[in-house]
Structures are given as C-alpha cells and as structure tokens.
Amino acid sequence: MSLSRFSHLPRAAHGPIKCPLQGAPLLGNATYNKGSAFPESERERFNLHGLLPPNIQTLDEQVHRAYEQYKSRPDDLAKNTFMASMKAQNLVLYHRLLQTHLKEMFSVIYTPTEADAIQDYSRLFRKPEGCFLNINEADQVEERLANYSTGEEIDYIVVSDGEQILGIGDQGVGAILISVAKLVITTACAGIHPSRQLPVVLDCGTNNEELLKDDLYLGLRQRRATGEKYDQFVDKFVKAARKKFPNAYIHFEDFGLQNAKRILDKYRGEIACFNDDIQGTGCVTLAALMAGLHVSKVPLKDVRVVCFGSGSAGTGIADQISDAIATESEISKRDALKHIWCIDKQGLLLQSQGDSLTSSQKIFAKDDDQWSGETDLLSVIKQVKPHVLIGTSTKPGAFTEEIIREMGKHVEHPIVFPLSNPTRLHEAQPQDITNWTDGRALVATGSPFPAVEYNGTKKEIAECNNSTAFPGIGLGVVLSRASRLSEKMIVAASKALAAKAPALEDPNKPLLPDVEDVRELSLNVAMSVIKTAVEEGLAQEEGIPGDDGELEEWVRAQMWEATYRPLEKVSS
C-alpha cells in the first residue's frame, strides 16, 4: 500500500510546498532555501539566475561538502556554532547532515557541547530563535505568543525556565537553546515537523552571579522570581499556549528541583504535557530495566530496586518503575512503591524527615517503624538485597567495590545503572562493575562508554539516552491528539523500547537499542503510545487505523523527512 493513501493529511511530508518568496529573500529563508540544489526550472521561476553558481548539485553532494566543513572546525563548540549557522541558512541540508552523521554529531548538537553554547549564549548571540517571555510582562504572554507564527499549526512546544540546565545550573535566558536543541532532536529522531514547533524560554530572572554581572547578558538582570508570582507566570503561559495552539503538546524542560515535579503534577491531568527529566529519563531507564530483568529471568512483580539520588531524575525513574509494576502486576501504586527504596543526601528517605523531603520524594519515604539499622547506601543494600541499583546522584565513585560486591552476593545478575552525567560524575565505571561481579552484572550508563571485557568476553554497554524515548512519545501524542499523556502510555513506550533491546537475543549485547536506529525506534514507540491512547479513550484524532500495518503507514506518512520538495510559486 502506498503512502499516497495518507497524502491528504496535514502533516503528510510529500508533494510541493507553497512558496511566497523569490530572489534574494528566498535564498535567505532557511525553510525554502536549497542553495546550489535549486533545479533549473525553479531558478527560472523564482528569479534566482545570477544569484547562484551555475553548477546544480544534489542534496547528497551538499551534505558531503558540509560535512567536510564541519570536520574542519577546531573543536566541538566551533562545530556546534557551525551547525547553528547552517540551520539558520538551510533547514533541509542541516537535518540531512545531522541524520547522516547522527551518532557522531549527537554530543555536539546536544549534551555536553550544547551546555557550553548555553553558558556562552549572550556572547555567541547572532540571531534570535524561538519565543522569549519574561515575568515582568506576564500580562502580555498571549500577545507575545501571537507574534510567533510559522504559518502552520504548532504541534510541539518545548519550554524551559533555565533554572537547572544540563548539569550546569541556572542559565537564565540562555535556556532558549535547550528548547531549540530538544526540538531539533524531535525532528531528527521522530520526524516532528520543524515548521510546527515552538521553542520557548520563560525568563524569570537568574541567580547566576556571573550572568548578573555580565554587561552582555541578554536576559533579565534580576534575581530569579519565586512563589506566587512565578506560579502565576507559568500558569499564564500554559493557558495562553493552550488558547493560541490548542492541539500543541507541551514539553517542560530543565525546570528546578522544587518546581519540575510540582508543575508537571499540576497540569498532567488536564493537558497533554511531559517533563523529560522526570518522565523521559524514567521511560528509557525502565526500558533498560525490563530488558535486564528479561536476561536475568526476574519477574517485574518480584523486583527490588534501590535508587541512589532522589532529585527530579531519580524520583522520575522510581515513579516510572512503580507505575510499570502496578500496571503489569495489576496491583495498587501503594503496593508497587514497596518494591523501591530511594536514597538522597540524608540517606534512605524516611517519613520522619518531614519537611526536608521535596514533594516528589514524599511518596517514596519509608515508614520509620518498618526500617531498622543505618540508612546509608551500603546498609540499605545489605538489608534490601536489590536486583537493581540506579544512580542519579552526580556523586562520582559512590558505587564502591564493597557496595557492588555486596549486591552481587544476593542476586545472580546485579543490574547496575550509573546514570549521572557527564562521564566524570558517574557513580562507577562499567569495567569496574563488571570486574567486581565476576562478569555477571548487567550495566547501562548515562553517557556513552566503550565495551567492557571479562575473561576474554566483550560486553557492550547500553546508554540510557532519552532521545530514544521522548521523540517517539511526542510523535505518538501529537498524531493521536491525546488529551493527556497517561502512565500507561509511558509504560507502553518503555515496553516498545525494551522489545528492541539487542540483549534479548544476546546477553553480551546492550540492554537498549542504539541511537543510530532511532527513527525506527521512534516509529515503534509512537505506535505503542497511539494504540494505548486509543484503548484508554484519550485519542482525539479521527481515522486512526486499527490494523498495525496501516497504522505504521499512517505514522510514517506524517514523519517529516529531510528532502527537497518542489516549490510552488504563490503570491505573498
């Protein structure tokens, strides 16, 4: 069956594009520009003769030249700047280059290099991208959003307030770049249309002293707002975004620890929204855990999990695991929580710690009467005898040899996930974990690591890369027009990821599929999310195919591809 069956859909990425520009303005527009690839017919029709060299090239030839230019840049930040410049010139070429070399370029266009670009945002600034909303103009949020228009509906919004960016903390207005980068990933990994995206920064001020003293800083030079003023600003944004873009999915990114879970919980029951630090991290970690349990032959209903580090990521992971246990075992959330022990700076989370616990930590706090002994990590490992140990503490070396060996005494295949980023903050090295468990451990990390070797056998290490999860989830929500993103939809996404784990076929292979396969992964994740949304009565889109084969074609037809489409001249 041909994709043309679905060519009538608004997002069908095929056929001609209506173009109101010609001449130099056309070459200056990244959406329409093809550079040296404009065919003779379009050069004539759009008055481009004399504005381009005569040799007409293919997109592949352009990618080859652009890649050579990319490689010539002296360091990763220069490469990041080069890619940003290309994106501003030619959107199709930018995305084709990125897709062709995705694994190599991922760390340049996202973490860790994007963190450097964000830190230097005001000094590297050339051209604004996205929507800038500031708390001193909260009453004009709706008007400011109306100024941002791509000429199409908006499907996907990424918004950040910049308080906790990529492990580098408060970056104020520079957070617009994390919103931009996340949307680039949704396009590269899941075909979300770039013309139907909106990156937003909520400028609430900053507590970063360096930025406050920097004359070149482009954001509000004032202390970060909190309390009721902050909450009202966020609420005005959400309401204005829903009014202006009623079908848009809202992705909250890099909000601070005190706000991330609180904001997500406030809106998740009302609208389709998502927090990658909480739900995305939880989803991909749950997928790796499911694959690990399959290899170790431990049923999910019996699993015991210790989470070391109980910030947004740690509690988000614990929340997803407990949702999966409750869903798969058909038990209550309360009973599912009995399988999880969370540790933070004060030790094991206990109810007696009261107000020192964040709102996201409180549900994981154990009853003091049910815990005897010390609350440090080693003591918890000795008493709990966990199958799974997950680290999001940013405390390097926290998983010591004694701790890992103690875990290995009680379970045949310890599942150990040191997830803290960047690499220097990992709780333990995969090779050490492997050595300390006599090669029995199943390991996944938060950053790329080389394969480990034990007794002549090599094991590949999975990277818990959120980009294998959140783009596909977003695609599923967007295409189904789900009224909200449910717990079951995220569990379905995790199961779809886990089903593609190479370790299911060979235990020496990774617990998660590689980012190189991410377009097909996103397709599978999106299909699982859509089917679950339909089952739960949350899908609002009409005409969603019920047959898996037709559903796959329906989804593929609406995934944007980095190809040059014919331009159709229209009057502006």
Side-chain angles (χ1 to χ4, degrees):
M1 191 179 297
S2 170
L3 292 180
S4 62
R5 168 176 179 163
F6 302 112
S7 60
H8 64 284
L9 298 173
R11 298 179 194 86
H14 309 281
I17 301 173
K18 296 183 184 301
C19 177
L21 305 176
Q22 60 180 330
L26 171 54
L27 297 180
N29 186 289
T31 299
Y32 303 117
N33 183 29
K34 300 179 183 179
S36 59
F38 274 106
E40 177 62 31
S41 59
E42 290 183 351
R43 294 181 184 216
E44 181 69 34
R45 195 181 314 126
F46 290 93
N47 297 329
L48 297 176
H49 282 302
L51 302 180
L52 291 166
N55 186 24
I56 298 172
Q57 295 187 306
T58 66
L59 178 54
D60 287 341
E61 288 171 330
Q62 289 182 314
V63 167
H64 175 73
R65 180 175 60 241
Y67 184 56
E68 292 300 316
Q69 294 172 351
Y70 171 88
K71 289 194 299 182
S72 72
R73 296 310 188 262
D75 55 48
D76 284 350
L77 185 57
K79 289 175 178 175
N80 176 284
T81 303
F82 169 80
M83 292 296 286
S85 177
M86 174 171 289
K87 184 167 179 274
Q89 296 172 49
N90 185 328
L91 203 58
V92 169
L93 178 54
Y94 168 84
H95 278 287
R96 176 63 75 86
L97 176 63
L98 179 57
Q99 279 182 241
T100 304
H101 302 281
L102 184 60
K103 192 167 184 178
E104 175 186 348
M105 294 183 173
F106 203 92
S107 63
V108 170
I109 59 107
Y110 189 46
T111 182
T113 309
E114 188 67 7
D116 297 332
I118 291 168
Q119 283 185 301
D120 286 339
Y121 174 72
S122 294
R123 294 181 174 273
L124 295 174
F125 180 83
R126 289 182 176 85
K127 180 181 178 182
E129 184 175 6
C131 188
F132 299 80
L133 304 175
N134 81 70
I135 198 164
N136 295 338
E137 299 175 348
D139 290 337
Q140 283 80 51
V141 165
E142 189 174 331
E143 177 186 333
R144 302 294 185 260
L145 282 174
N147 289 337
Y148 189 95
S149 175
T150 62
E152 293 192 58
E153 287 187 38
I154 295 297
D155 285 333
Y156 203 124
I157 297 171
V158 176
V159 58
S160 178
D161 74 347
E163 186 171 5
Q164 193 61 50
I165 298 288
L166 293 175
I168 57 172
D170 189 339
Q171 297 300 318
V173 78
I176 191 65
L177 290 188
I178 196 62
S179 296
V180 169
K182 283 287 185 177
L183 287 170
V184 164
I185 291 169
T186 67
T187 299
C189 298
I192 301 289
H193 288 235
S195 61
R196 300 173 72 100
Q197 299 174 339
L198 172 58
V200 178
V201 61
L202 302 179
D203 190 347
C204 304
T206 179
N207 293 334
N208 184 322
E209 294 292 343
E210 290 184 11
L211 296 180
L212 290 171
K213 295 174 183 176
D214 186 353
D215 291 339
L216 293 180
Y217 179 58
L218 290 166
L220 292 176
R221 199 173 280 107
Q222 63 186 48
R223 291 281 171 187
R224 183 171 285 277
T226 58
E228 186 177 354
K229 184 178 182 181
Y230 173 88
D231 288 347
Q232 288 179 350
F233 181 42
V234 173
D235 193 59
K236 284 179 179 179
F237 160 72
V238 171
K239 287 176 178 173
R242 293 293 293 170
K243 182 178 179 181
K244 175 66 178 171
F245 312 113
N247 295 322
Y249 171 66
I250 299 178
H251 173 143
F252 297 108
E253 183 69 26
D254 286 347
F255 283 71
L257 179 61
Q258 296 301 319
N259 294 320
K261 182 74 161 53
R262 188 173 61 84
I263 290 171
L264 178 65
D265 287 345
K266 179 176 180 179
Y267 297 107
R268 69 194 299 183
E270 305 171 11
I271 64 172
C273 63
F274 175 81
N275 184 302
D276 191 42
D277 305 297
I278 297 171
Q279 293 163 298
T281 302
C283 176
V284 74
T285 306
L286 173 59
L289 184 149
M290 286 176 164
L293 293 179
H294 178 90
V295 173
S296 60
K297 296 179 173 56
V298 175
L300 187 61
K301 66 180 179 64
D302 296 333
V303 73
R304 298 183 298 275
V305 181
V306 169
C307 293
F308 184 68
S310 300
S312 296
T315 54
I317 290 167
D319 206 32
Q320 294 303 319
I321 295 171
S322 60
D323 282 341
I325 294 170
T327 299
E328 296 299 296
S329 306
E330 297 183 340
I331 60 175
S332 68
K333 176 88 167 185
R334 181 185 181 89
D335 286 337
L337 291 170
K338 295 175 182 177
H339 293 254
I340 300 170
W341 291 258
C342 290
I343 300 172
D344 209 57
K345 296 178 182 69
Q346 67 270 50
L348 180 69
L349 301 186
L350 297 171
Q351 291 179 3
S352 60
Q353 291 156 3
D355 292 340
S356 68
L357 300 174
T358 66
S359 58
S360 58
Q361 291 175 339
K362 286 179 180 177
I363 65 167
F364 299 104
K366 299 295 183 184
D367 189 326
D368 292 64
D369 294 337
Q370 296 176 358
W371 185 259
S372 59
E374 300 298 318
T375 62
D376 61 287
L377 178 57
L378 179 59
S379 299
V380 172
I381 294 290
K382 286 181 176 179
Q383 189 160 328
V384 171
K385 301 177 178 59
H387 303 97
V388 184
L389 174 60
I390 298 170
T392 59
S393 67
T394 67
K395 187 176 178 182
F399 295 172
T400 63
E401 180 175 357
E402 184 179 12
I403 285 168
I404 298 299
R405 287 193 181 280
E406 179 64 33
M407 188 178 176
K409 289 178 184 177
H410 307 291
V411 294
E412 184 178 355
H413 291 288
I415 298 172
V416 185
F417 297 166
L419 300 181
S420 292
N421 278 317
T423 305
R424 61 184 171 81
L425 299 180
H426 266 48
E427 287 80 5
Q429 298 294 311
Q431 185 66 63
D432 289 336
I433 296 170
T434 302
N435 293 342
W436 297 335
T437 59
D438 304 320
R440 294 180 290 123
L442 300 169
V443 183
T445 57
S447 300
F449 273 90
V452 300
E453 188 171 344
Y454 188 81
N455 280 351
T457 299
K458 279 194 173 183
K459 277 190 176 183
E460 297 177 53
I461 302 299
E463 179 192 357
C464 284
N465 188 329
N466 289 20
S467 300
T468 59
F470 79 82
I473 293 172
L475 180 64
V477 173
V478 165
L479 296 187
S480 65
R481 286 203 304 121
S483 56
R484 62 182 180 87
L485 175 62
S486 71
E487 291 84 357
K488 286 186 177 180
M489 290 160 71
I490 297 178
V491 171
S494 294
K495 290 170 72 175
L497 267 181
K500 297 296 182 180
L504 301 189
E505 302 294 330
D506 180 348
N508 292 322
K509 296 290 186 182
L511 294 175
L512 287 171
D514 195 278
V515 72
E516 281 187 334
D517 307 315
V518 72
R519 292 279 288 201
E520 291 302 303
L521 288 173
S522 293
L523 173 71
N524 292 329
V525 168
M527 288 175 62
S528 294
V529 168
I530 291 167
K531 287 191 284 187
T532 307
V534 170
E535 290 168 6
E536 292 191 282
L538 299 175
Q540 300 176 101
E541 185 62 49
E542 295 182 1
I544 297 174
D547 174 78
D548 279 0
E550 286 190 17
L551 178 59
E552 179 180 335
E553 292 174 2
W554 186 80
V555 174
R556 283 190 191 278
Q558 300 181 80
M559 294 173 70
W560 186 83
E561 295 283 351
T563 57
Y564 288 134
R565 293 160 61 185
L567 297 184
E568 181 180 310
K569 193 171 185 178
V570 295
S571 57
S572 56

